[in-house]
Amino acid sequence: MTDDEGRRRHYGHFYGVDPLPDGPIGIVHGNCQAESLRVLLSALPDSPFTVRIPPVHELEAEDLPHLDALLARTTMLVSQPIRDGYRGHPVGTDEVAPRLAPGARVVRFPVIRHRGLHPYQRLVRGAGIVDPPVVPYQDTRAIARAAGMPQPVLDADAVRAIAEESFAEQLRRTEAAGSVRVDDLQRAAGTRVTNTINHPGNPVLIGLAQRIADELGLPGTVEDPGRELLRSIYAPVLPSTLAALGLEGEPRVDWTVGGEPLADEQVLTEQAAWLRTRPRILAACLTACRDDLATGGSLLSMPMRDGAALGDGSLGAPLETLHLVVGPERHGVTRHATRLAEAGGQEIVRVEDAPQTLAASTGPASMPELAERLRGRVVVVHFTDRAFGPDPASSADAFERLVAPAAGVQVVLHDLPQPSDGAGMERRAAAYRRVCDAADRIVVSSEHERRLAIALGVEPNGVGVVPLPIEKPAEEPEGGAAPAEAPTQDLLPPGRWVSTLGFAYPGKGMEEVVDTVGALGLPEIGVVNLGGAAPGHEDLLEQLAERAAAVGTRFHATGWLEDDELLAASRAVDVPVAFHRHVSASGSVNSWIAAGRRPVVATSDYMVEQHLRMPGALTLVEDEAGLGEAIRAGLDDPALTRLADPDVLWPTWAEAATLLGTLR
């Protein structure tokens, strides 16, 4: 028997496998709670509720004729409040009611949820959100771990507050739907109120079934069926929760799934790891659960009241946030930090030269003036050692002194130390460790960077990730660049170009690109870098030009380009490339994509991560041979170098700013 055949036999009356019974017919329409109620109602004397129907979330278009045939015979409908057009089908409560037999009775019962026994658990719903692994419930402790935040700790007051809010929310849902009341049944059920937050225990279901039967005028008393109805999963009930609620009973420190025990710690570990690889879902969970995270003491910007213990739910006033942006105006990290703060609509304080500010004793750019502005605020700082001082140790000194007056510090790390740094890695690692020690929240731009931070000695659950923002490209009109863009003839010499982008510096893979283009044997193809040299590496551009001439091609660097010029040039070149093998996060790659291009990139942990997050946005190659093949393919078929589906891109600047805010 196939699964489909088994399903049709299970719902035999619905699919016409079995004839419908004579006399009145009652159906219970809804999700998992609906069938449990039908089981209870079906045991009443001469019950009309003998017809089992699929849960509403399983109904497909091919099921609708069967549903209509059944509705035409149905004289009693018991239904949850299902919205019109649910999952694209006319199966909402108000849509099925008019299709019932003449004179049919309708009784509504509410969606039943309660978090009192399970205050750390949540159901997070929304477009693109799927259930986490192991058990289909989110846990604020796993969410906090995945986000690099302190794990929430709920004391007795917080647990009681969550329970009372659950009762109140249940009553609000009941009144809004005009349905049978259930919150008083929940209060009376004690430790049997729920098995999970959306699986009520038998006492609640039995009491509700009796009220439905009474409203329909059905004779008899609803009895306990002798088995727990919603028993597939039992969630933990902690001893501290029972004590807070004043309930007596046996606690459950772990889960039971399908009759088998499952350690709570295993669930938290696996779900946190799963969330880290799905930043969009993590962002939605952080937004949905922000109040719980605040109550549990996880948020830097929502401190406890003076003298209150972490997690006691006694919140003080939110701390105002200020973005301290340090470094030269044209530095990539400086530009990134500024734009992200602007996207969040938050205050910015600029420090162009950190050593100079620290040395000044008076004036608007002096340390005393800066300290006054930072005092009592949560300060967000983007740190790269190259922007804070002449060497790693000096940069760490500057960071520590600059943020010392702040009430809280969220640091966003860039250019993290890694083995490709060579002899300088340990000096940089020591500086970054000091920066992490001086911060309250640590954020990076990728899971790859998170692993680099952990390698520095940072607590594995103490690092959050906010992916580099990327806007969907503006529509590119037919025939070339938009009129608002700079004319490319002023930016690029004549010819066809394989292009890199951003500041040029050793180790960025530009030498390999020049060699590969030369090996193609196509003299009309040159290499251009959209940008100039990084400070201190001005001689690299001349070296690249000489190298290009030696291998039979040409090299050109445009120098600094304003935003409109960069967009126009990015769209005009023939093949975009980013062949940096040791990148930990790449703004230049995002610049290509934001221009509607699909760059050829060297495979690395970071690029694989980006490829999985934004399928089709990159062309990954393993080595220089693969680079040559991809360049030749792009020259032959320009469509391969264009972004096909902008909808895969995430996050926007506004979304990234929001996500960064949820992590503090």
Side-chain angles (χ1 to χ4, degrees):
M1 182 185 299
T2 66
D3 290 344
D4 185 61
E5 290 172 335
R7 183 175 186 275
R8 294 176 72 85
R9 189 173 297 279
H10 182 72
Y11 298 111
H13 289 124
F14 180 83
Y15 285 111
V17 175
D18 302 317
L20 289 172
D22 295 329
I25 292 177
I27 63 172
V28 185
H29 186 50
N31 289 324
C32 61
Q33 298 165 6
E35 175 59 13
S36 295
L37 288 172
R38 189 203 65 80
V39 168
L40 294 169
L41 293 169
S42 69
L44 291 170
D46 301 319
S47 173
F49 289 94
T50 58
V51 175
R52 181 189 294 119
I53 68 173
V56 67
H57 63 271
E58 292 184 7
L59 292 175
E60 301 294 347
E62 56 267 27
D63 296 323
L64 297 182
H66 300 287
L67 177 63
D68 283 335
L70 177 59
L71 290 173
R73 286 282 315 276
T74 298
T75 56
M76 295 182 187
L77 171 68
V78 176
S79 179
Q80 288 179 302
I82 301 164
R83 68 177 184 273
D84 288 355
Y86 180 71
R87 297 184 69 245
H89 304 306
V91 295
T93 306
D94 292 336
E95 291 173 314
V96 300
R99 289 136 68 189
L100 298 170
R105 298 281 307 280
V106 178
V107 175
R108 289 172 168 83
F109 69 96
V111 174
I112 307 171
R113 292 179 183 169
H114 187 70
R115 294 179 56 215
L117 293 183
H118 324 288
Y120 292 102
Q121 286 157 35
R122 295 292 297 264
L123 288 171
V124 180
R125 301 286 189 246
I129 298 178
V130 297
D131 287 335
V134 193
V135 294
Y137 302 96
Q138 298 286 0
D139 191 299
T140 53
R141 296 167 298 173
I143 292 167
R145 286 189 191 185
M149 303 164 72
Q151 189 163 294
V153 178
L154 300 173
D155 82 335
D157 287 341
V159 171
R160 285 191 288 270
I162 288 172
E164 286 302 317
E165 173 55 27
S166 282
F167 289 131
E169 176 59 27
Q170 185 68 67
L171 182 57
R172 286 193 292 270
R173 280 198 298 269
T174 298
E175 292 174 343
S179 57
V180 177
R181 187 174 177 182
V182 75
D183 61 292
D184 58 328
L185 298 173
Q186 291 175 317
R187 287 185 183 275
T191 58
R192 296 195 64 195
V193 61
T194 50
N195 299 325
T196 68
I197 57 176
N198 65 339
H199 284 186
N202 274 16
V204 176
L205 292 169
I206 291 168
L208 177 59
Q210 185 65 63
R211 290 179 177 180
I212 292 170
D214 293 344
E215 188 155 333
L216 290 171
L218 299 177
T221 300
V222 176
E223 302 289 348
D224 192 308
R227 59 184 173 87
E228 192 70 16
L229 290 165
L230 293 172
R231 63 188 184 278
S232 60
I233 304 178
Y234 290 88
V237 180
L238 302 179
S240 58
T241 300
L242 293 178
L245 299 177
L247 297 175
E248 294 184 1
E250 286 296 317
R252 290 193 300 268
V253 296
D254 291 315
W255 294 79
T256 301
V257 179
E260 298 296 325
L262 177 64
D264 191 32
E265 180 58 32
Q266 179 183 343
V267 173
L268 296 179
T269 299
E270 292 192 29
Q271 289 194 353
W274 181 84
L275 283 167
R276 289 189 190 107
T277 63
R278 291 160 178 81
R280 294 195 199 199
I281 295 178
L282 176 58
C285 290
L286 285 165
T287 299
C289 301
R290 186 167 177 80
D291 287 348
D292 284 357
L293 294 168
T295 302
S298 296
L299 300 185
L300 179 64
S301 56
M302 291 290 290
M304 299 299 111
R305 289 199 181 98
D306 290 344
L310 181 68
D312 77 347
S314 180
L315 298 178
L319 297 177
E320 294 184 6
T321 298
L322 180 148
H323 288 247
L324 178 62
V325 179
V326 179
E329 182 179 357
R330 288 186 172 182
H331 194 287
V333 172
T334 305
R335 289 165 59 84
H336 171 85
T338 301
R339 187 170 179 186
L340 197 58
E342 290 173 345
Q346 293 180 317
E347 183 180 352
I348 298 172
V349 172
R350 281 284 287 119
V351 171
E352 183 86 13
D353 187 310
Q356 188 176 79
T357 294
L358 291 167
S361 58
T362 60
S366 67
M367 189 59 209
E369 289 290 333
L370 179 63
E372 190 59 33
R373 296 190 67 178
L374 269 54
R375 192 165 288 113
R377 309 283 288 274
V378 171
V379 177
V380 182
V381 190
H382 292 250
F383 179 82
T384 174
D385 54 332
R386 299 172 177 101
F388 275 70
D391 57 74
S394 299
S395 293
D397 288 340
F399 180 89
E400 291 169 340
R401 293 179 61 192
L402 287 170
V403 303
V409 178
Q410 182 185 50
V411 64
V412 184
L413 301 176
H414 298 266
D415 305 319
L416 277 86
Q418 53 185 316
S420 60
D421 293 341
M425 178 184 172
E426 187 46 47
R427 292 192 301 275
R428 298 191 68 230
Y432 274 73
R433 279 192 287 268
R434 289 173 57 191
V435 167
C436 292
D437 288 343
D440 300 283
R441 297 289 186 273
I442 301 167
V443 177
V444 294
S445 299
S446 66
E447 273 298 308
H448 172 58
E449 286 191 324
R450 178 178 169 273
R451 291 189 289 271
L452 293 177
I454 292 170
L456 296 175
V458 177
E459 159 61 35
N461 292 322
V463 186
V465 176
V466 176
L468 293 179
I470 181 167
E471 296 289 346
K472 292 182 181 180
E475 290 292 330
E476 186 173 359
E478 294 184 12
E485 296 173 8
T488 55
Q489 64 267 23
D490 297 334
L491 306 175
L492 300 173
R496 302 187 71 189
W497 296 98
V498 173
S499 179
T500 54
L501 184 151
F503 285 113
Y505 53 83
K508 195 172 181 177
M510 300 176 73
E511 295 88 345
E512 290 91 332
V513 175
V514 167
D515 292 347
T516 300
V517 171
L520 293 177
L522 301 172
E524 73 277 15
I525 307 299
V527 178
V528 64
N529 184 63
L530 304 183
H537 298 290
E538 289 77 9
D539 57 343
L540 178 60
L541 300 182
E542 184 176 343
Q543 294 170 14
L544 288 168
E546 293 173 353
R547 188 182 191 113
V551 297
T553 186
R554 55 204 167 113
F555 175 82
H556 174 73
T558 64
W560 175 262
L561 297 176
E562 298 298 338
D563 289 346
D564 62 331
E565 295 174 327
L566 181 61
L567 177 61
S570 298
R571 287 176 166 174
V573 296
D574 292 273
V575 181
V577 177
F579 204 65
H580 195 328
R581 292 183 179 275
H582 304 292
V583 66
S584 60
S586 176
S588 60
V589 167
N590 280 15
S591 294
W592 280 128
I593 298 172
R597 305 306 301 268
R598 182 182 183 182
V600 180
V601 301
T603 298
S604 65
D605 287 350
Y606 174 73
M607 292 304 178
V608 170
E609 181 182 334
Q610 296 300 90
H611 171 69
L612 293 174
R613 184 164 64 84
M614 300 183 292
L618 305 173
T619 297
L620 273 66
V621 297
E622 294 291 339
D623 49 28
E624 290 179 52
L627 175 63
E629 293 171 2
I631 290 174
R632 188 179 289 276
L635 292 169
D636 292 341
D637 183 1
L640 297 176
T641 73
R642 302 283 171 178
L643 181 67
D645 181 12
D647 289 338
V648 304
L649 306 183
W650 183 89
T652 64
W653 285 93
E655 289 168 335
T658 298
L659 179 53
L660 183 63
T662 63
L663 298 183
R664 59 178 178 267

